[in-house]
Amino acid sequence: MNEVLTVEEAAARMKMSVRYVRRLVAQRRIAFHKVGRSVRLKASDVDAHVDAGRVEPLTVSGVWRDLGQVA
């Protein structure tokens, strides 16, 4: 079963501030659930948001390939 987190727990899980998580919710950049007046986030949605921001490292061959396309 998927764990449900408070905003504070989600912030701790992402190692970010509570303010940042509240901003994500306000901008609707992360999926959330309203339970009465409370906001709850599924752990899988928090993990998916973190994974979506993944940037792959540069490789030497990739840099040279991209430089060839510029000229």
Side-chain angles (χ1 to χ4, degrees), residues 28-48:
R28 306 217 178 217
R29 292 174 49 203
I30 191 168
F32 64 95
H33 300 273
K34 290 285 288 189
V35 181
R37 291 176 32 186
S38 301
V39 173
R40 298 291 184 258
L41 299 98
K42 286 188 176 179
S44 61
D45 292 334
V46 172
D47 295 340

Side-chain angles (χ1 to χ4, degrees), residues 8-9 24-27 36-37 39 42 48 50 60-61 64 66:
E8 292 78 13
E9 292 169 340
L24 290 176
V25 169
Q27 295 173 348
R37 291 176 32 186
V39 173
K42 286 188 176 179
V50 172
V60 174
S61 61
W64 284 109
D66 293 343

Side-chain angles (χ1 to χ4, degrees), residues 44-60:
S44 61
D45 292 334
V46 172
D47 295 340
H49 177 76
V50 172
D51 290 341
R54 180 183 168 100
V55 177
E56 294 296 328
L58 292 175
T59 61
V60 174

Side-chain angles (χ1 to χ4, degrees), residues 1-6 9 13 41-46:
M1 187 169 158
N2 200 358
E3 185 180 4
V4 178
L5 308 172
T6 64
E9 292 169 340
R13 186 180 186 107
L41 299 98
K42 286 188 176 179
S44 61
D45 292 334
V46 172

